Amino acid sequence: CHFKCGNACAKDVCNTSDNSYFRDIADAALSRRSILGLGAVASAALVVGVETVGATAAQADTLVAPQGGGKLAFKAIAPVPRTVDAVTVPEGYDWATIIRWGDPLFNNTAQFDINAQTEKRQAGQFGYNNDYLNIIVDKYSGRSGVLVANHEYTNEDLMFEPAWFAANKAEAAKIAMAAHGFSVVEVKRVKSGTPWAYVRGGERNRRITATTPFAVDGPAAGSDLLKTVADPEGRTVLGTLNNCAGGTTPWGTVLSGEENFNQYFRCTGSASDARYGLSDVATERGWEDVDPRFSARNPGYENEINRFGWIVEIDPQNPTSTPVKHTALGRFKHEGANVRIADDGRVVAYSGDDERFDYVYKFVSKAKYRRGDRKHNMTLLSQGNLYVAKFSGNSPAAQIDGSAAVPTDGAFDGSGSWIPLVKDGASMVPGMSVEEVLVYTRLAGDKVGATKMDRPEDVEPNPVTGKLYIALTNNTQRDTTGKATVDEANPRTKNRDGHVIELTERNNDATATEFAWNILLVAGDPSKDESTYFSGYPKDKVSPISCPDNLAFDSKGNLWISTDGQPGTIGYCDALHKVTLTGAERGRVEQFLAVPAGAETCGPLIHDRDGSVFVAVQHPGENGTFQDPTSFFPDYVLSPSKAKRGEVYGPRPSVVQVFSSTKGNGKNK
Ligand code: FEO
Ligand code: CA
Ligand code: CA
Ligand code: CA
């Protein structure tokens, strides 16, 4: 955890605000429900009738058709014990590696040699710990495209030989900086359904690292809060850090969230620093010893920390474009961002703040989407309204007792509102300017009484129905001494396994300020844990699932959930699951794959029309060391002397494609 999130879970909770909890507002919520016209009957209809909201009759027919068919039919695999170092896929499927940490992107980049790594080499190679993933297939071709991945963080224990690392800390830090950021790499294939291969030297290939210039835009661009001695204009930032999940916009750009950025900076220990988990202690990575901007103690760099924690947008089709940091979407530990176009043409971006007791946000653009006008559309995230979510339950507080027993009305559900933080260019938060709201967004959320959630990870609208899904990965401090109590939207004491909320905007209008919500599933191993819930689907017919993290959808609107943390909770390797959302099988969780020991499943991408599923296998063998690996994924070189050119003895974060196979069960390749 120290590399990944700066040991966030071992530290104090950042949100010490005294926001009202649900129990304090239950009565007010009930009266609000009548104001909204969302009485008990209407609300139940919203939940039960999910398949028809926002879908045409034809789409609804498709949605209630038997699930699991088409080119991605599969029989769920059994959960895989956490020490198994294999990619496990269903019967009839096989897997292949598309690209791995260190694979050269350019013709003049040296072949990977783990014992001869340099900053320059790494800056031309695929980065470390891939998280968000997309493969954007070129129009008309179908046989070419670009693969976009981000590189969340580095694990120096696995990347460097210990004696070399101890003697070369500065060079190692520079290599690590070059292993962060993004990779854009062209891919090609023989035909649909066959494995993609990456193109070394592709015209669109690009690395973005911790030193690549980004333009800052939106209302906080040029603010005094963003100025440093190196950038007195407050409009250009070097690099992006800790990019976790992301999303691809309808105009073909990629968004990604700067998540646990705090761990890279030494700060001065102000109140706002503490709210972001920043402190005045030397960092684990020690980048402040290499580059003065990583310490706020260095005169002129007090504001460098304010230049991270944003949603960034990159254009993968143009390798010379300047990537952008969007201040209009606020600054927090963004997991990612996902966009939906509202009926009136405005675009709505949803984002979660991945920290215990932090919030869910949405941004609504001022300007409208124009089909085919890419230049215009790339300005849409620069100006608009920013909201934070407040959830209210509809069951008596006494029935939300922390056991996650379903209340007598049959559901964890209720209504909610999007509370404005910035509206029509003005701050809606007393005592804070627009710039302050955007730079210290967590503090703004505290002031308006946003609902403290159990670590919001991916927040993603279903492209078929418009409904929003919120992965709440876990929060073992929920309802413990001195911490926020349970509420109907976060109903489990010491929520170890997480849950998923389904949210329906009023009238299915993405710009609405009111919504209905319900819990889709309360995660865990149902064979051992009574507090699990799968929307009423029989618990003996689902795969165990814990710590939901990244979300994706297939073309029929089924939800796919990847996990981060199952080994430490239910004892199984992290996984990718399909969840049926509609019809009689709603709530059915079926495990599609498992990733190798120590890894988490990231960036799921479901190309069901091609019969392919892609995952970014992040931090395989994380608990091992350079000399004593616990994973050998993906090349399975089992002895140092057997490594061929470009291979390593030990694990490498990689992008994997799973596809239909006629040649056996595809297991343990
Ligand atoms: Fe990087 Fe929220 O996981
Ligand atoms: Ca209820
Ligand atoms: Ca994540
Ligand atoms: Ca994760």
Side-chain angles (χ1 to χ4, degrees), residues 4 131 152 242 244 259-260 335 354 455 457 549 564:
K4 178 180 195 171
D131 193 310
E152 185 177 11
N242 215 260
C244 196
E259 195 191 35
N260 292 297
E335 171 74 11
D354 181 6
R455 285 188 59 197
E457 298 255 22
D549 187 343
D564 175 13

Side-chain angles (χ1 to χ4, degrees), residues 588-643:
R588 182 178 182 183
V589 176
E590 297 170 276
Q591 184 169 344
F592 181 79
L593 61 73
V595 293
E600 77 173 270
T601 324
C602 288
L605 174 64
I606 316 299
H607 283 184
D608 49 308
R609 290 185 174 115
D610 282 353
S612 285
V613 168
F614 306 83
V615 287
V617 179
Q618 196 192 52
H619 60 75
E622 183 160 70
N623 296 329
T625 62
F626 184 92
Q627 287 160 312
D628 192 9
T630 57
S631 170
F632 299 91
F633 166 84
D635 297 323
Y636 293 98
V637 176
L638 299 180
S639 136
S641 61
K642 294 212 169 121

Side-chain angles (χ1 to χ4, degrees), residues 394-395 407 409-414 488:
N394 63 9
S395 291
D409 69 351
F412 301 103
D413 62 346
E488 198 164 342

